[in-house]
Amino acid sequence: MNLKNDLNDFELLRSMLAGDEEALSILYRRRQGSIYRFALQMSGSKTIAEDVTQEVFLFLMRDGHLFDPAKGTVSAFLLGVARNYVLRRLRVEQNLAPLGDEFEDDGAVPHPSTEICPLDDLTRAETIESVRRAVLSLPSKYREVVVLCELQDISYGETAEILGCAIGTVRSRLHRARALLLAKLRPAAEAEDAGSAAVKSARCFA
């Protein structure tokens, strides 16, 4: 039994930075899946997802010393790096506008009664492809909170850490994102009979 598998991410990172290639291998196997899924769900491109995953770990090998455990987890750090690479690629390819060019957040936190995810309620009549298109069509700052909070089940707190913003901003953006998805998915849902493609299936499009 390899005892290194029991090490936490930070311990693996420290060993990796000290020259332990096995620690890097374990950390890669442990975290590459979530990075790839995030990049794929943000970009809709397997090529971009593969490139970003590789770039994140190259960055980690080169600049892993920049990680500060006082500011959060290694996982959030890696997803934050992945986010930067994804947005850079998308901007270069002119697939979406830079963050901040779309709707402005008002900072308001929605009442819990409004926290109903249209992915849960409406995608039962949708195909996985319809859900993918709806998520990909969201402005980037709304897409990323849906990907992180809804598709990857990451907490509001860790999402705020990844995005470098306040939890209230995450809640506000997610509330707005849900409203946008509701508007995008409702026409198709009303036009079709109830189907079986729900958000749990959408999470598998990685």
Side-chain angles (χ1 to χ4, degrees):
M1 180 178 179
N2 190 340
L3 295 179
K4 288 183 181 178
N5 287 319
D6 295 329
L7 297 178
N8 62 39
D9 289 351
F10 182 46
E11 290 169 334
L12 288 171
L13 176 58
R14 286 191 302 183
S15 294
M16 183 207 81
L17 293 175
D20 188 340
E21 294 184 2
E22 185 180 10
L24 171 62
S25 179
I26 294 171
L27 190 57
Y28 177 84
R29 291 197 303 270
R30 185 180 293 177
R31 296 301 172 191
Q32 64 89 20
S34 62
I35 293 169
Y36 177 87
R37 286 192 298 274
F38 170 78
L40 179 62
Q41 290 162 343
M42 280 293 293
S43 68
S45 167
K46 291 183 178 179
T47 298
I48 290 178
E50 291 168 356
D51 289 348
V52 165
T53 301
Q54 182 179 31
E55 288 166 350
V56 167
F57 282 93
L58 287 173
F59 173 89
L60 190 66
M61 288 187 287
R62 184 181 65 249
D63 296 311
H65 62 278
L66 296 177
F67 170 69
D68 182 355
K71 294 182 178 180
T73 65
V74 172
S75 176
F77 176 75
L78 293 176
L79 284 171
V81 173
R83 173 188 179 243
N84 291 336
Y85 278 123
V86 168
L87 294 179
R88 185 181 304 169
R89 283 289 297 270
L90 292 176
R91 287 167 186 163
V92 168
E93 298 183 17
Q94 297 182 342
N95 286 337
L96 67 100
L99 288 177
D101 287 353
E102 300 108 0
F103 303 98
E104 293 298 324
D105 294 314
D106 58 12
V109 178
H111 188 276
S113 63
T114 66
E115 293 286 308
I116 299 173
C117 179
L119 289 174
D120 291 324
D121 289 348
L122 295 181
T123 58
R124 295 186 181 92
E126 297 294 306
T127 62
I128 293 175
E129 182 61 29
S130 296
V131 176
R132 179 190 289 116
R133 287 198 302 267
V135 172
L136 288 173
S137 70
L138 291 174
S140 56
K141 68 180 180 182
Y142 300 121
R143 186 189 320 168
E144 60 193 9
V145 292
V146 169
V147 169
L148 292 169
C149 295
E150 302 289 2
L151 301 184
Q152 298 217 33
D153 286 326
I154 293 176
S155 69
Y156 289 172
E158 192 165 15
T159 295
E161 180 186 333
I162 292 166
L163 303 183
C165 64
I167 292 179
T169 300
V170 171
R171 290 181 179 274
S172 178
R173 288 182 182 177
L174 187 57
H175 179 53
R176 177 59 176 161
R178 285 165 170 164
L180 292 172
L181 281 174
L182 189 68
K184 293 174 184 295
L185 294 173
R186 180 180 286 130
E190 292 175 347
E192 299 178 11
D193 293 330
S196 61
V199 66
K200 290 183 180 179
S201 297
R203 290 172 181 154
C204 298
F205 73 69

